[in-house]
Structures are given as C-alpha cells and as structure tokens.
Amino acid sequence: MSTPRFCPIPAGTLTPGLDDDERQALQVFLPGQDFAAEAPRAAVDVDAFALSETPVTRGQFRAFVVDGGYANPQWWAADQQLLDHVGGQAALVTQAQTAGPRTWRTPLGDDEDDDLPVDGVSWFEARAFARFSDARLPTAVEWEWAARGPERRTFPWSSTLTMLDVVRSGHLDDGCVQQQRPQAHFSSPTLTAVGAVKRTSPFGVLDLAGNVAEWTSTAVDGNLPGLELRVLCGDVHRAPLPRMHGAAKAVHEAHRRLPGFGFRLARSSG
Amino acid sequence: MSRIVKLPASLRPPPGATASKAVTSNGKTARGDDVRGNEMRVTLATGLGVEMADGFESDGVALAPPPLPSVSTRGSSPTSALNTRLAFMAHSAPAPLAPAVAQLHQSLTQHPHKGPLVDDVVQLPTFAALDEAGQTTVLTLMHRAGLRGAHAMHALAHTELHGRPLLQADGTSSCVLRSLGRLAQLQLHGDMALHLDVDMLLDDVLGELHDPSVICQSARGTCAATALQYELARAHPRRYLRMASELLDGGASHGTDSNGQVQAIGVVADSIPMDNAAERSAFGRLFQSALMDAAHTWTTGTYSNVHDHYVDGQGAMTGTGGLYDSEGLNAASLLFGQSNAVLEYDVHTAMNVFSNEANTPMRGAVVALNWSNNGAGGHMVTFSHVDGDRVYFRNPWGNVTKDAPGTLRDPPGSIVEDDVGLESMARADFMSRFHHTVHFSTDPAGDAGMST
C-alpha cells in the first residue's frame, strides 16, 4: 500500500469564509448562490500541522479493509455509540454487501483505479481510517488555511478566476435567457486520480478543489438531540469551477455515504 | 410575531421559571419570554411552530430540561391545510398492541433519541385507532427515517387535516396511510440506490410535509416548480405524499396537463446524484426536476438538472431554462388539476382574485414578477395574502437569503420572515412588477381529473 505523503503546514492566522468582494465576484458566475455556508467569520489562529498531500485513495483504504479494520473496535470505539444510532457497522457496506465504501462494486474495490480518491464513505469510516493511520481528520479551519494560505487565495491554486477561465474550462453556457444570467456547469463527470491535476495550494497540497468533498472533524449543531452533523470542505468533481474555492463547505449528517464524499488526513505537529 | 403556546403537562416550567427556550420547526432556537402556568409566549416567524421546548430558565439559571414528548405546531396561516392541535390530545391508556407492532415499538424504544418520540406516538388516541397495518406503517417510518424524519412523523401524528387527525383524514379511503405505507416499504434500485439514502428521502418528505418552509430551489432556476411544490405541500398534503411515494417508489407520478391529458411526472436521471444546490433537499431536487421536465412544452428536449436547461438526446441545450407562462400553467395543472388552473395576465383582474382569495382558502396562486430592477429576468413566487397596502408572497429561495444587487433585497421588496421565505411588497410595486399569475384550486374535491 502506498502511504499518504504529508505536507507541513505552518502556523498562521486565517479569516475563514469569503469576504463581500469574493462573494460578489463569484456571484457573477453563480448568481443563484449566496455562499451562506462560507460567510466570513472572525480570524482564528491555526497551529502548525501536517496535511496529506492528496485525499486518501482507494488503494490506501483497501489496506484498512483487508486488515479487518471495519471489525476492529480499536478504530471505532470513540464513535461507536453515535454509529450505533444510525445502524452501526452493518450499514457500512459495499455494493457487494461486504464491509467497505458504498461506491465499491467488489469487496476490495478493485473495480476501479487504485489512485482514485476513496469515496462513498461516512465521517465514521474516515475517522476510523485516520486512527488506523495514526492520524486524524483536519478541522475545517485547518483545511481552509491549507487551501488559501497567508495570501488568502480565493482558490487553492489562484486568487482570481476570470470569466475567461470559466469559459475555457467549458463550464459556462450561453446564458439563461429567461433569467438573464450566466449559468456555470459542472467540471468533471467522474473522479480523477489524485494529484493528476496540478492545482497546488500555497503549501503544496493537491486536490483541494473539485475531486471529492472532504470530511473534517468540525461538528455543527444539528438542533436536534442526536443529530450528528459534520462539515465537508471542498466540493465534488461535478461542481462548477467557481464552487471550487478554498472556503467551499457543506454540512451533512455524519453517517451519509454519498458518492463524492471522501477525506484526507492530518497530523498535529510536535 | 408572538404566539402563545400551550404546553403539555410534561413540559410545564417549574415553579419560578421566567423564561423558556424552544426549538422551532425549522430547527432554530426561539425564546419564550413570558411563561404563565402552562402557556408561554414565543416569538416566532410566521408559519413556524415550536418543535420542542428544551429547557427552562429561572433568573438566568438553566434548569433541568424537561422530558419529551415534544410540542409541535404548524403554521398559523388560515389557509394551511394542516394544523397541529396546540392543546395536546389527551393521552389515554394505550390499548394493547398487536405482537408485531409491539415488537417494533420495543425495538424503537431502545433508540435514545427516537424512543421517547415513539413512546409518545403510540399513546395517542389517533394511533390507537389505526389498524395493525397503519400502526406498523407509522412505526416503520419512524424506524427507517432519520432523526429529522422521526421528529416530523411525531409532529404529523399530532396534526389535523381539515379538522381530523391527519392519519385518519381520509376515513376509509386511507390515502395518507397508503402513501405512508408505500414510503415505509421504500426500496431504492439502480442509480437511486447508489446516490440516495432511504432515511434521507424519508427525512426530506416527512420534514417538508410537516414544515413546507424548508422547500427551496437553491442554486437552480426552478422557481416555478419550487413555488408550486411549496404550495402542494402546504395546501394539499395528501397529494404531496402520494406524489412523493409514487416518484420515489415507482419512479414516476402522474397528473393532468393543461390540455386535459394524463401525463407522467417522472424522475429525471441526472437529478439523482447530489449537486451543488446544497440547500435544496434530495427530494426537492428529484421533484423539481421531474416537474420541470413534465411541464416543458415550449421546445423539444428534456430537463437536465446538471445543466439546469432543456437538452436534446445528445446533451445539447435547446431553448432556455426555466418555465414559460404556459408551462407554468401546465405545471400547476399537473399538480392541482386541469379544470381549475387559469393563466391571468391582467393585473387588475389578478388583484381582485388575490383579494378574494383571503376568503377562499381552497385557492392558490403563483405569480411571475419582473424581478430585477432593470426589468430583465423574471421570478415566480407563491402568493400568500394581501394586507392593506402590502402584498405578501413566499419566495422559493426559502430561508436561503440572497443579497445580490438588483434583486428585491433592494427596495421596493422587503423580507418579512426570512426563516420561511415570506416577503412583502407595496401593492403599487407589486402591480408594476406583475407579469402573470396562475390561479388554481387546492381543493382536493375540486377536480374530477385529479385524484388525491
């Protein structure tokens, strides 16, 4: 199994979210969206940490499956009670009804390229794999800091996105006549092998935009007892290019195992 | 607005309590600022209800939260089809459950969060009056749904439709229970099984039925379909349930189009995977896409959720996105019946109808407005009511506020209740922006061509 390569991320201060100028600029491309989930928040200090260069791959995750990771309570104990409320490990099966990611058609997921990011996993599986790998999930703030850096890039690979970029990427159509607005289109119909697209973040991290949406450790108050919500950063491969900014976030229930939901690993420094 | 909420005995504040917190039906926290006996005054958005009183405070010191069962209410609009009995139905000594139902109940009571909700439901006279199949349906739904759906089902079990408990609203025809039963047994196949979860869909359908204010279009040009979806859930919950069960279980529902032809309303394939319209529910994505596709007549092609346009067999775009005037009429016909759907362009006639609709609760309307201040672009909203010089409408953006320059967040529009998407506009402004409206009957008995 290939092991994830980690990029050192220095300490710094991040103002999470998109400021008004950024939101207005993105609304040129996505006028239907208000980016409410990415509203600006107060500046926060981020400690130095390390982040895996790419999302965890199918090949890497297979090692966990082969090792019996789904049945090893060592990796699940901290979250077992929460997981039991939503069906326990019995619900975490492949399409072959064996323990593993939902998107795998075969028990070992060898129906697709090993270098594709693993997807169709819940937050619980991401956490268990992180423990198995002697790592953890990044927080949403850490993820955004790694994507945007001290220069506070709007996108992991750039601070700007012009109409020309969007048109060249084939993600803009001829406009919606009735609505009189441009309409962005989705970027890629399928997942891409990790690291294949060299959109490098300020700290050398790859795939922070537009491959899998990535689970983080950050929780959100669900306003209902027992409703476990976690933040996903980034956006899935089908999302339009302007959605792939460094502050992209969504909130889903921790047991949700949708195609396009993946994760990467973090390690604290020192 | 402030609303007096009567609390059941189990939720009454302890002596000396001066305030209470409550979770509203859209999941946000409201504060009860005046507790007297078994009542508290809560400041709520229009259309919102109290989902759960979760704690009481006395002199700023939080006291132990009371146990469930929760209080649930529904919108206070006089035209709301569903209304929760604020004064809780008296719990009687529960009749013995059939063995299979008792076993299901027993397994659900093990769940730390669903258990108290289920315990409350099985004690309701409404539940006791159901036959074994009906009881099994209710408990199976609470079992298979997620927490949001279980809370919604609990609330719906306390809900009345036209003066009768929702679960018994059909008398012997049991349309509600048939639809709920179909949802309770829902199995997903193919792409639906890969990209969707049963618990997620049940949460969506039950949650939207209980609180239609969560319905929104998010980042899609489906305003007309969304405005009609909201109206269907609000005014015609039985048909909403039936359509949901048919769409999810069989892949298609049906309706009568504006030409009087029965037409399928089927799932659009590319609306099945998750998209970037993140605020919209998965069921909303399926429903709106299906209606956009079924109502489309202007050009060739089928609706694509990915492109938010109509596309031909090769994926090339044809025509535009959105629905034209006659297509909006078509969509309303498909949902509410053909014979009562009327397209109206004359603003004075429309305003007269609107004024009368306050006294005609079985009528609904969606209105197309010139939305942007420069006159380009249209938007369809659900008409709510006229009050003095103000016209109130529900924006299908829902509780997802938009603040883009040129929208009605600028004058003359104003937000009334942001949480539910209710907005208002001065009558003169509304009339100057008026483009057309589609009136329709929401009376389930009003159209012979439409079954509930």
Side-chain angles (χ1 to χ4, degrees), chain B residues 62-118:
Chain B
L63 304 175
L68 289 169
S70 69
V71 179
S72 80
T73 69
R74 198 179 161 91
S76 61
S77 163
T79 57
S80 254
L82 289 178
N83 288 289
T84 298
R85 301 159 128 185
L86 286 181
F88 254 39
M89 287 179 258
H91 286 190
S92 54
L97 299 174
V101 178
Q103 187 176 6
L104 188 54
H105 175 219
Q106 181 61 30
S107 69
L108 274 164
T109 58
Q110 307 303 314
H111 195 289
H113 305 295
K114 291 182 182 177
L117 300 171
V118 173

Side-chain angles (χ1 to χ4, degrees), chain A residues 32-34 85 95 102 173 175 177-178 180-181 185-186 223-227 236 238 240 243 255-256 258-259 261, chain B residues 27 111-113 147 193-197 199-200 219-221 274 276 306-307 317 321-324 377 401-402:
Chain A
Q33 298 202 20
D34 67 347
H85 296 165
Q95 293 171 47
R102 174 185 188 160
D173 68 15
V177 174
Q178 274 193 309
Q180 292 292 307
R181 63 179 194 179
H185 277 172
F186 295 83
N223 274 327
L224 284 177
L227 188 61
V236 296
R238 295 181 298 269
R243 273 293 303 180
H255 69 283
R256 200 62 67 208
L258 297 183
F261 284 10
Chain B
H111 195 289
H113 305 295
L147 278 175
L194 178 61
H195 290 279
L196 300 165
D197 292 329
D199 68 320
M200 175 171 65
R220 284 295 182 279
M274 181 185 66
N276 69 317
V306 169
H307 297 288
M317 288 179 217
L323 293 176
Y324 283 103
T401 61
K402 301 291 186 294

